Structures are given as structure tokens and as C-alpha cells.
Amino acid sequence: GSSVLGLGSHLALRLVLDPGAPAVKYALPYLRIRAISFVPALFSTVGFASFRGVMDTVTPLRVALVSNMLNVLLDPVLMFWGGLGVSGAAAATVAAEILAGSAYL
């Protein structure tokens, strides 16, 4: 699924945006980069639910806290200081989701 969305993101965007919409220029690289982390995000979601299922809500809370802090720290670094803009925001989210997904493996 992530490879289809990563490679065919322009087709997916056509479903929600007009081809000439100003947002396409930002949405296309964002979606392509974010597609990298769809599988780790799935692991994170399943891990979160699994721990809640055994009545452990503290572990998912800690994982979410650390991964979200990474995202919050990397966003301005990559977007502004790294000069990546919206692509930097996507890369920061990918890093955070890979960390969260890895924590549950």
C-alpha cells in the first residue's frame, strides 16, 4: 500500500485536489515522503492497541511521548534550519513514526 501511494501519490491527490490547486505543490512531496512510514505507523498502531488490550496504558503513553517529542524537535530543525520546508515536516514525522513502530517490535 505504501509503495502504491508513494509512487502514485499524484493520482491519490487528484481525488481530493484539483490538478492546478496551489496545495498540490506542497502535498505531493509530503505524501511521497510520508508513504515511507506507513508500515511503521501500522506497527505502532497495533502495538499501542496490543498494550492497551493487556491493560498496560503506560508503555504506549511513553512511546507516544518520546516519538511526539522527536517530531516536535525535528520539525523546526528540518523545516527552517535545514531549509526543507514541508518536506522537512514529512521527514520529521517519518522519523517519529519509525521510532514508535520500532519501539513495539
Side-chain angles (χ1 to χ4, degrees):
S2 63
S3 60
V4 170
L5 191 52
L7 297 173
S9 50
H10 62 286
L11 298 174
L13 285 176
R14 278 193 212 163
L15 296 172
V16 294
L17 292 173
D18 290 330
V24 171
K25 148 175 125 170
Y26 301 106
L28 192 58
Y30 184 86
L31 189 56
R32 284 185 176 150
I33 294 169
R34 282 294 316 276
I36 297 168
S37 68
F38 287 161
V39 172
L42 178 64
F43 282 125
S44 178
T45 302
V46 170
F48 185 88
S50 298
F51 275 89
R52 283 190 326 183
V54 295
M55 301 304 173
D56 180 359
T57 57
V58 175
T59 301
L61 177 66
R62 288 181 179 153
V63 171
L65 179 66
V66 171
S67 67
N68 284 315
M69 287 305 297
L70 177 66
N71 195 6
V72 165
L73 293 172
L74 282 180
D75 266 337
V77 170
L78 295 176
M79 288 174 65
F80 304 118
W81 298 333
L84 296 175
V86 174
S87 296
T93 304
V94 166
E97 287 183 338
I98 288 173
L99 174 70
S102 301
Y104 290 112
L105 293 179

